Amino acid sequence: TIANLAKRIESLVSNGATVEAPWMKATSPGMNLPLSFAQQRLWFLDQLQPNNPLYNILRAVHVRGPLNIKALEQSFNEIVQRHEILRTTFVTVDDQPVQVINQSVQVVLSVVDISAVPEEDRETEAHRLSTEEARTPFDLSRGPLLRVQLLRLGAEDHVLLLTLHHIVSDGWSLSILQGELAQLYEAY
């Protein structure tokens, strides 16, 4: 029981027992790393139903005002360089899934100009394109597991679509990514 476990711990501590966490070791480039339990689950589900976009996470952000597309793309590339998980792919080695952290991944900001669509239909077209993006599957073994698309509705009216696979992100970390993006964009 929990109560018995607590008594055992108290007894060990009172008799001078200590526990030291092992030193963390840096991984070597090219090293095959095991998956976390959550990643194993998502990898397994991907093996059962390949090309299933169910675990895609899409964030759409409406951006109004002047936009420096080069600075936006540069910001995304800096974020990917800073976070290994965004450069990670998942492959099978000796019948076991492993993480492979790529040294570099280039994010290409895809720009889709829908400003020629009649104004009353642009929102519908933007929604259609974002739905299409959300339904486009990822290949976990090839990556990158992040896509960035910019819908240009007008000269100073855009919708930024950020799509990640859940194996490398979640809603909480996506919010952090969005905050870093804002800071880096401002810096660039």
Side-chain angles (χ1 to χ4, degrees), residues 9 12 14 20 26-27 30 47 49 57 71 74 83 102 105-106 109 111 116 129 134 136 146 149 153 160-161 173 179:
I9 291 170
L12 288 170
S14 67
E20 290 186 29
T27 59
Q47 300 306 297
Q49 290 185 325
I57 299 172
Q74 199 173 358
H83 298 283
N102 300 288
V105 169
Q106 190 68 28
L109 178 61
V111 180
L129 289 169
T136 302
L146 161 131
Q149 189 174 72
L153 286 74
L160 176 65
L161 302 177
S173 57

Side-chain angles (χ1 to χ4, degrees), residues 44-111:
F44 178 75
L45 292 170
D46 186 71
Q47 300 306 297
L48 284 176
Q49 290 185 325
N51 299 317
N52 185 343
L54 183 63
Y55 293 99
N56 287 1
I57 299 172
L58 175 73
R59 174 81 41 107
V61 180
H62 202 146
V63 181
R64 291 201 171 110
L67 182 64
N68 183 328
I69 294 173
K70 179 96 172 135
L72 185 62
E73 185 174 60
Q74 199 173 358
S75 299
F76 274 110
N77 278 298
E78 179 65 26
I79 288 170
V80 168
Q81 199 54 40
R82 288 170 42 119
H83 298 283
E84 290 179 337
I85 193 65
L86 298 177
R87 299 190 318 269
T88 300
T89 53
F90 300 83
V91 299
T92 305
V93 175
D94 297 328
D95 296 324
Q96 294 297 314
V98 295
Q99 298 182 61
V100 176
I101 301 171
N102 300 288
Q103 289 300 330
S104 68
V105 169
Q106 190 68 28
V107 174
V108 177
L109 178 61
S110 166
V111 180

